[in-house]
Amino acid sequence: MRSHAEAAMLPDPEALHPVPNKPRIVFLKPLLASVPGVANCTVGDFTYYDDPLHAKDFFRRNVLYNFQASGARLEIGKFCAIATAARFMMPDAMHAMAGPSTYPFGILGGAFASALPLADYPWRSSGDTVLGHDIWVGMEALVMPGVRIGHGAVIGARAVVTRDVPDYAVVAGNPARVVRRRYAEEDAARLVALAWWDWPAARVARAIPILAKGGVKALEDFAAAGA
């Protein structure tokens, strides 16, 4: 039996391994702080990655082609759950498509590079990739550059996300398409307005029964009561 004090303890968002005896689960925010040279990525509190073999290699194995030449960013919000081998493609992976060939001749150097320097290629810019808060990304999903995934969304296993995902939508497939909405658009907007993910951790803890089993109105009442 856990003591009352132990039961009341809040999880530490700065702990690398938040679940005792489960090294496969890492909080990405403290992991990012320990990885040099990834200045274009941000992650919110309590977002975790689960991988039985390579959990601590997330920013090397799962954020692909992050050469940072494009200036694009990867922003991941709070309370997101990212399953094994989910990957995020950065814009530096995108080849130029303005001419007949997509081959990046300049990377080979020599005469190929002097014919057209890499800086002069018509590279495609996709912009930042932004994940909101409270998102579940399924196993082996692939998020392509420049998309925005809305708050509360669910990305199905092995989905290939090529376009923006609405708040509280469930998407699946290749390319990923909305298969259902977790909440109607009006209710999704009410949840976004509540922004429970920005509450202090102690308040989130008190709201967990509603967050896990309740409804929008119950969460609004909880917020209005200042609980």
Side-chain angles (χ1 to χ4, degrees), residues 77-173:
K78 303 174 185 176
F79 292 98
C80 294
I82 302 175
T84 303
R87 294 166 296 165
F88 301 84
M89 189 83 72
M90 298 301 286
D92 290 328
M94 308 301 284
H95 291 209
M97 295 179 61
S101 176
T102 62
Y103 194 85
F105 300 98
I107 66 171
L108 301 180
F112 279 15
S114 61
L116 183 66
L118 284 172
D120 293 337
Y121 276 65
W123 303 112
R124 293 185 294 155
S125 177
S126 301
D128 297 339
T129 301
V130 179
L131 280 71
H133 307 291
D134 190 26
I135 293 167
W136 175 20
V137 182
M139 183 179 292
E140 297 182 4
L142 176 61
V143 178
M144 296 300 286
V147 302
R148 179 196 179 276
I149 299 177
H151 308 302
V154 175
I155 310 301
R158 296 188 175 178
V160 179
V161 183
T162 61
R163 64 184 66 182
D164 291 355
V165 177
D167 296 325
Y168 292 92
V170 179
V171 300

Side-chain angles (χ1 to χ4, degrees), residues 195-206:
W196 65 262
W197 38 79
D198 289 332
W199 295 350
R203 192 181 191 200
V204 171
R206 293 193 295 273

